[in-house]
Amino acid sequence: MNRKNLIWGLLVALAIAAILSPFASPSPDGLERVAEDKGFLHLAEGKELIHALMPDYVFPGIASEGLATSLAGLVGTLLVFAAMYLLSRVFVRPKGNAGKGRS
Amino acid sequence: MHIPDGFLDPKIWVGASAVSAGALAAAVSNTRKVLEDRQVPALGVMAAFIFAAQMINFPVAGGTSGHLLGGALAAILLGPWSAGLILTTVLVIQMLFFYDGGLTALGANVLNMAVIAPWVAYGTYRLLGGLFRGNAGRTVATFLAAWLSVMAAALACSLEIAFSGTVPLAVVLPAMLGWHALIGIGEGLITVVVVSFVSRLWGLEQPGQKSYAGGEQL
């Protein structure tokens, strides 16, 4: 595992999020399906506690549904990478802690 | 399997959040001991990959879909503690920016997908990896670890919903396990393919080896 492999890994993740996401199955997932069949899906409706920027993985203000999903995927993938990277740096390997492992 | 707001009652989501917080604190302190600076980017890439893969719902049967959870994938390649941090990061971003999974249900979702799934996968993988040797054995161990991790998460999810008084356990449990037995096959196949590809890249050959990318004993 070196820098090149990591960049490739990130590119693969971005490609999946951007290119494959518009072709994802729109059917309900396992839990949603069970909630629908067993009659408790309505409990989740109208219970929104936060106002998310891209609900249902749709980037706001884009007419094309596929493009909106691709963009949401790209933004989300980069956000997750950045958040994970920064959190690891801050909490797991804070400065001054460096050298504890054999880096 | 992201639980939305409205399915869980306060005693369940507060309880699940407390357990998850404890598990996360343990994950931070354990990864702190083993993670090296140069391994930090691998956690970011794994988290990004799992987020992207979770967007790709695949049809299973009868108008139902599933997607990769990734708990087994992260646990087998990077170790269960790192996997917990990775899946938690994915779940928090999904909740905050996409409202996939509820705010009050975050603790329960973390418990099911970031704690239970990786540990069940890791335990199964280590156990079976010790029983069957060789490449075929590793493939079987990886597949079953991934399948069981989905079933365990579905079981936990059913218990949380049932004990919240939302729907009786006898109703929700068979339905959840039934669908997730199918979704788990997809999880198993994707996990086997990605694990075999990445472990060749990283030179991981058997369980018990130290992960080059994550620092944890696998």
Side-chain angles (χ1 to χ4, degrees):
Chain A
M1 184 213 49
N2 52 32
R3 189 170 297 261
K4 207 175 94 191
N5 284 340
L6 286 171
I7 292 170
W8 271 111
L10 189 59
L11 286 177
V12 167
L14 289 169
I16 291 171
I19 299 165
L20 291 183
S21 65
F23 301 102
S25 164
S27 302
D29 74 355
L31 173 60
E32 209 180 332
R33 175 60 190 269
V34 171
E36 216 174 85
D37 287 352
K38 306 301 173 190
F40 61 96
L41 190 60
H42 67 277
L43 291 173
E45 281 154 19
K47 286 277 161 55
E48 287 82 5
L49 292 173
I50 53 168
H51 182 76
L53 197 62
M54 298 165 267
D56 291 325
Y57 299 89
V58 173
F59 197 87
I62 306 278
S64 153
E65 207 180 299
L67 192 60
T69 304
S70 289
L71 270 175
L74 276 179
V75 172
T77 304
L78 288 172
L79 268 174
V80 167
F81 175 77
M84 186 75 247
Y85 188 86
L86 291 175
L87 287 173
S88 313
R89 277 269 175 254
V90 172
F91 290 109
V92 181
R93 298 289 302 169
K95 278 218 183 312
N97 191 27
K100 239 170 125 184
R102 25 168 207 100
S103 22
Chain B
M1 209 189 300
H2 297 53
I3 306 174
D5 286 316
F7 283 8
L8 303 178
D9 76 352
K11 74 170 188 298
I12 295 292
W13 65 255
V14 170
S17 303
V19 176
S20 291
L24 268 184
V28 169
S29 98
N30 278 288
T31 44
R32 194 173 262 208
K33 283 180 207 145
V34 294
L35 198 70
E36 299 166 24
D37 279 335
R38 64 189 171 86
Q39 294 170 333
V40 166
L43 265 62
V45 172
M46 179 63 80
F49 179 83
I50 289 175
F51 172 86
Q54 286 202 0
M55 281 188 78
I56 315 305
N57 283 61
F58 48 83
V60 285
T64 303
S65 72
H67 59 69
L68 184 80
L69 284 190
L73 177 65
I76 291 171
L77 287 176
L78 296 172
W81 295 115
S82 305
L85 299 181
I86 290 168
L87 268 293
T88 301
T89 303
V90 170
L91 287 166
V92 169
I93 300 280
Q94 284 172 332
M95 187 273 289
L96 284 177
F97 289 89
F98 305 94
Y99 208 48
D100 192 7
L103 175 65
T104 57
L106 181 65
N109 284 325
V110 166
L111 181 61
N112 303 343
M113 291 182 269
V115 181
I116 293 173
W119 279 101
V120 166
Y122 178 72
T124 311
Y125 179 71
R126 286 301 300 266
L127 190 74
L128 294 178
L131 293 178
F132 315 119
R133 297 278 161 187
N135 252 344
R138 240 169 65 87
T139 304
V140 172
T142 304
F143 182 88
L144 288 176
W147 186 82
L148 265 182
S149 75
V150 173
M151 291 301 270
L155 169 68
C157 175
S158 306
L159 290 172
E160 289 149 7
I161 291 173
F163 289 135
S164 292
T166 302
V167 62
L169 188 63
V171 171
V172 70
L173 187 63
M176 279 295 281
L177 292 185
W179 286 117
H180 287 91
L182 296 176
I183 295 170
I185 296 174
E187 179 92 15
L189 293 176
I190 299 170
T191 307
V192 163
V193 170
V194 180
V195 164
S196 78
F197 180 77
V198 176
S199 25
R200 208 166 307 151
L201 220 58
W202 289 353
L204 293 170
E205 265 144 22
Q206 58 239 339
Q209 203 175 345
K210 196 171 174 197
S211 173
Y212 186 48
E216 281 187 68
Q217 206 78 35
L218 295 180

